[in-house]
Amino acid sequence: MSLLELKNISKIYGELKALDNVSVHVDQGEWVAIMGPSGSGKSTMMNIIGCMDKPSLGEVLLDGVDISKESSRALTNIRRDKIGLIFQQFHMVNYLTAVENIMVSQYYHSMPDEKEALEALERVGLRDRAHHLPSQLSGGEQQRVCVARALINHPELILADEPTGNLDETNENIVLNLFSQLHKEGTTLIVVTHDPEVAEAAQRTIVLEHGRVAREVINEGFIEGRQYV
Amino acid sequence: MTKRKMFLRMITASLLRRRSRMLIALLSIAIGATILSGLVTIYYDVPRQMEAQFRNYGANMILVSADDQPLTGENVEAALSLIPAEKVIGATPYRYVNAQMVRSQLSFVAAGTDFDQVKATSPYFVVEGEYPSGVRQVLLGKEVAETIGAKLNSVIEITYKPTAVLSEAGGELNPGATLAGSAEGFNQNLVYVTLTLGDDLTIASLEVDASLQTPEYGGQCAEEFFTSRFLGKALPLTFGEDVDGVSGATITSEAVVNAINNAQVTENATALTGATLSMQVTGILDTGGKEEGYIFMSQEDMAALTGERDRYDVMELSVSAGAEELASYVDQINAMEAGVTPRLVKRITNSETAVLGKLQALVFLVTAVVLVLTMICVSTTMMAVVTERRREIGLRKALGASDGSIRTEFLGEGMFLGLLGGVLGTALGFAFAQVVSVNVFGSSITFQPLLLPVTILVSMVISALSCLLPIRQAVAIDPALVLKGE
């Protein structure tokens, strides 16, 4: 059953077609990587999937609902309820502690719950760093907090934009292990990346070039619950 | 944890952990609030402070007689009782009569007054020499002094002839006639007598007013043991033959006899007899006003001159109160109907009101300007804050914050700043007002408790208004910016 379906979407900026008649579908519980060089339309696609932009043409079905015509206010609500975001630059509120950063997400979604937020930190192995400010955390630790934050509201879809782009190998592995475990638990993952190694961790890779889907690769070597060391 | 708690936690964290920028905003609000509360304190305190200063300009209320009833100590006292004693800086009685210089035959206005009170109600009087401090002393207006060529310590002779002509004055002595007269007694002070004649034209009753005499000696002449010696005697009397004097008060006793011999027939019992007094000039008055044409003397001397005591024409009051308060006293005194008509000295009260009005307008203007400047400063700072926090705002929106939440958060931060700034500003403002008051007016001020909530409220409103533009900026931020790896 498909969770996300892009049907013949195009995004046109004047003369430029950032996306040109792209169709993609992602199944419930699937782990998909999106690759492509700069300017291939990755960011545009990511914005549309993340409910932060709308296509010029085509339909976007998320959980069976067409979100391509929704108002930006409705898109905000959909994003809040269904999507967990992870960013390359981590993006934490720099004057809030790790646990407070997670609670911000709860605050906008429903109700802040410090206990639950602490449990999420426990899950990414950072229970003891809960009351540290971002400036007191390493890059890897910050990204793990962001993974915990993306998970906290039990989203249908986790959308990660270059999640390991700013991390060293050790931390990259920690993040990939977290993804691996999330996938095993049934979470749908879409990971936009430059890194072939990160792409290979997914079940399927969609390669974009010049705003079109150049090819789709089924990752034959995918191992469920694989541990990266 | 509730949403509200989390909201407060985020706002306080933002203010406490991102100190430098917020400190600038806080400082500008606090300074604005300081000026606001300081100036408002002064605004309300200035009238009180200025009253005292204004009292240097002289009386601001006068009492005159109403309905031809004379102004007396009694009705003046009743009117004064309506004004709180601590507000009355001075209350000066004036009795005006036309008096004549014996030598030059020139007429001037003579004013009987209380010089201690004059100093309070007319602080602007410039006296060369001294105010009279004893009997038979006068303060001459400069104009009078120049006209008659009097100098300090000159002795002048003043005479007063009552304008009311006695009917049948000096008429024949008939049974039942009332006579009144006066004569100089001890220390040249007058003794007054009033007597009635019996059927045989002898003295049927006698009253002596020896109140200007030394009480323990001459004063006895007013008592019955002495006055009774005269009953049944025929006029004129010879001192020592018809009547013996009181021992130790020979001069006064003799004055009583002289007064009886001088006595004229009057229709009524009130004596209206003129007198001539020799008086020493102790001071010359320079005011630049009409007072320079007057001769001022003590009430005692005026009584001696006119033979009337406890009678005033005008009571000048210097009351420490604003125009409205004065008007209320006027109404109260009028309502009492004690034969006293109060009037405000418009020249004084109007100029006070005008000066205060201008001063308060100035304070108001400065406050408004400072508040606008505060708004500009806070607004600029908050705009810088929004720019600085673009990524954070983008992140919040990406995490699902609605435009409304972003607005509430920034408004919350702004109003929290306003609250802190207001509290800080009230305290600093009071200190500021205190310093100004002590330096300018030389007196301290009292804290207005109402000022705390008002200042806080105004600061919060000001900072909320200042946040409007920055908030629009914040709301316009695109959440997608967090994805672009900026």
Side-chain angles (χ1 to χ4, degrees), chain A residues 108-125:
Chain A
Y108 291 126
H109 180 267
S110 47
M111 205 47 92
D113 182 343
E114 191 160 9
K115 194 164 154 272
E116 205 182 322
L118 287 170
E119 281 166 13
L121 276 177
E122 178 98 62
R123 178 146 186 214
V124 297

Side-chain angles (χ1 to χ4, degrees), chain B residues 116-268:
Chain B
D116 285 336
Q117 294 297 318
V118 167
K119 289 170 197 162
T121 52
S122 303
Y124 55 89
F125 275 16
V126 178
V127 173
E128 185 198 341
E130 280 171 8
Y131 278 101
S133 52
V135 290
R136 301 296 184 269
Q137 291 184 334
V138 288
L139 175 67
L140 275 194
K142 200 169 142 205
E143 206 183 299
V144 179
E146 279 167 6
T147 311
I148 64 170
K151 302 251 172 347
L152 278 183
N153 297 322
S154 302
V155 173
I156 57 171
E157 274 193 306
I158 302 173
T159 180
Y160 168 74
K161 294 196 179 85
T163 45
V165 179
L166 302 174
S167 62
E168 292 185 75
E172 288 189 30
L173 300 179
N174 297 318
T178 302
L179 294 85
S182 66
E184 278 192 4
F186 187 72
N187 208 9
Q188 295 177 316
N189 285 319
L190 290 175
V191 174
Y192 303 94
V193 296
T194 309
L195 57 147
T196 53
L197 298 181
D199 293 341
D200 56 353
L201 297 183
T202 60
I203 296 170
S205 72
L206 173 67
E207 269 183 53
V208 174
D209 181 354
S211 57
L212 298 178
Q213 305 296 307
T214 318
E216 47 285 42
Y217 302 107
Q220 298 177 57
C221 294
E223 290 169 23
E224 210 206 343
F225 81 89
F226 180 65
T227 58
S228 62
R229 296 180 193 174
F230 292 82
L231 301 181
K233 301 279 164 68
L235 300 180
L237 303 167
T238 309
F239 183 61
E241 273 184 45
D242 294 314
V243 184
D244 287 327
V246 176
S247 67
T250 319
I251 296 174
T252 306
S253 307
E254 192 174 0
V256 172
V257 172
N258 291 340
I260 292 170
N261 289 339
N262 292 343
Q264 306 280 312
V265 175
T266 61
E267 268 220 326
N268 54 42

Side-chain angles (χ1 to χ4, degrees), chain A residues 79 95 100 107-108 112 161, chain B residues 17 389 392 397 409 483:
Chain A
R79 179 169 67 241
Y95 54 84
E100 283 167 348
Y107 171 76
Y108 291 126
D161 177 25
Chain B
R17 295 185 193 147
R389 293 168 69 181
E392 182 203 323
K397 293 180 92 172
E409 279 157 38
L483 296 178

Side-chain angles (χ1 to χ4, degrees), chain B residues 345-361:
Chain B
V345 182
K346 291 278 193 241
R347 184 170 52 85
I348 301 292
T349 51
N350 287 356
S351 67
E352 280 185 30
T353 312
V355 169
L356 283 179
K358 279 175 188 157
L359 204 67
Q360 294 187 332

Side-chain angles (χ1 to χ4, degrees), chain A residues 43 46-47 52 76-77 79-80 85-97 99-101 103-114 131 133 149 161, chain B residues 1-4 6-7 9-11 13-15 17-18 389 391-392 395-403 405-406 408-409 413 478-486:
Chain A
S43 290
M46 171 108 199
N47 283 348
M52 288 181 272
T76 300
N77 292 342
R79 179 169 67 241
R80 189 183 63 202
L85 291 166
I86 298 169
F87 316 101
Q88 179 177 4
Q89 306 284 348
F90 325 136
H91 291 311
M92 291 174 70
V93 179
N94 58 15
Y95 54 84
L96 296 180
T97 61
V99 68
E100 283 167 348
N101 262 281
M103 286 160 70
V104 167
S105 195
Q106 292 176 316
Y107 171 76
Y108 291 126
H109 180 267
S110 47
M111 205 47 92
D113 182 343
E114 191 160 9
H131 300 294
L133 288 171
R149 182 177 66 193
D161 177 25
Chain B
M1 175 176 294
T2 62
K3 284 193 90 142
R4 183 175 303 169
M6 184 65 194
F7 176 73
R9 194 161 161 183
M10 289 195 297
I11 283 174
S14 169
L15 295 177
R17 295 185 193 147
R18 308 171 51 256
R389 293 168 69 181
R391 277 193 358 187
E392 182 203 323
L395 169 70
R396 286 179 184 273
K397 293 180 92 172
L399 291 178
S402 63
D403 291 353
S405 319
I406 298 288
T408 317
E409 279 157 38
E413 282 191 23
D478 182 5
L481 76 88
V482 285
L483 296 178
K484 287 170 188 158
E486 275 182 29

